[in-house]
Amino acid sequence: MYKGIYTYAWDLIDEGTVEAVARFRDVGLNTITLAAAYHAGKFIRPHGKSGKVYFPEDGTVYFRPDMGRYGAIKPTPASLLDDHDPFADIKAAAPDMRRVAWTVCMHNTALGQRYPEFTVRNAFGDGYPYSLCPAVPEVRDYIVTLCRDMAESQELDGVLLESPGFMPFDHGFHHEFFLLP
């Protein structure tokens, strides 16, 4: 049975992966679902040691991708990968826990700005930079390659897809994420 937590590399690094995993075990969790490809936002962090609000880089991945696998669209590795390997840290701290890659697919403003030809277009031809278009073959190829790259390089137990299809118009450009009413 899945008893997991959604978490972010920047929080594990800030708290310490070993310490975070100990807290996860204390409440009976068996799965760590790590944001592996994510977007920007404003994140409230009650446990944050370096600050209670965090603004991550937009549209980056939190594993070291094999760039040779990718075609027209290439992922952007997060700068924190210069000093950390979040999936390896989780594997070392919790080899008994399942690892799932939480993957934001079409909602990627950074990639939409870099590759505007691959974004959703409205009836007037206006592109939405925050929304890659799932009808475009290069976008589908990118998402499949991204998931395969993560699954094969990280020994994952699963890949969880967020925004695998068209984004709703009212989703907005950027947003705040805090899970509180």
Side-chain angles (χ1 to χ4, degrees):
M1 180 183 348
Y2 175 91
K3 293 181 185 176
I5 186 165
Y6 287 73
T7 192
Y8 302 100
W10 56 82
D11 284 333
L12 294 177
I13 291 165
D14 192 56
E15 182 173 350
T17 302
V18 171
E19 294 82 357
V21 165
R23 286 191 317 108
F24 301 161
R25 278 200 178 94
D26 287 347
V27 295
L29 302 181
N30 63 14
T31 305
I32 299 173
T33 302
L34 180 68
Y38 213 73
H39 52 71
K42 176 182 173 185
F43 295 81
I44 307 301
R45 309 168 354 134
H47 296 281
K49 293 179 182 177
S50 62
K52 302 303 181 193
V53 179
Y54 187 78
F55 297 91
E57 296 172 86
D58 192 13
T60 60
V61 297
Y62 294 90
F63 73 101
R64 292 184 178 99
D66 176 354
M67 292 300 198
R69 291 178 170 235
Y70 295 87
I73 303 172
K74 300 195 181 330
T76 304
S79 61
L80 64 77
L81 294 173
D82 292 343
D83 300 315
H84 301 278
D85 186 340
F87 280 102
D89 293 347
I90 291 169
K91 185 177 179 179
D96 57 315
M97 295 181 86
R98 288 184 232 145
R99 291 178 305 282
V100 175
W102 173 15
T103 308
V104 175
C105 300
M106 302 303 158
H107 182 35
N108 192 315
T109 303
L111 289 182
Q113 289 173 331
R114 188 174 324 135
Y115 305 104
E117 68 273 27
F118 300 135
T119 61
V120 168
R121 303 265 165 200
N122 65 23
F124 305 101
D126 302 318
Y128 298 143
Y130 61 86
S131 185
L132 297 174
C133 184
V136 175
E138 291 89 347
V139 173
R140 292 193 307 268
D141 289 345
Y142 169 71
I143 298 302
V144 169
T145 303
L146 181 70
C147 292
R148 181 177 292 130
D149 192 7
M150 286 186 297
E152 290 177 358
S153 67
Q154 303 306 315
E155 301 175 36
L156 299 172
D157 295 290
V159 176
L160 185 143
L161 303 181
E162 178 181 324
S163 70
F166 289 96
M167 298 293 298
F169 177 79
D170 62 352
H171 179 275
F173 186 61
H174 278 290
H175 51 86
E176 297 176 356
F177 185 81
F178 46 85
L179 292 177
L180 297 171

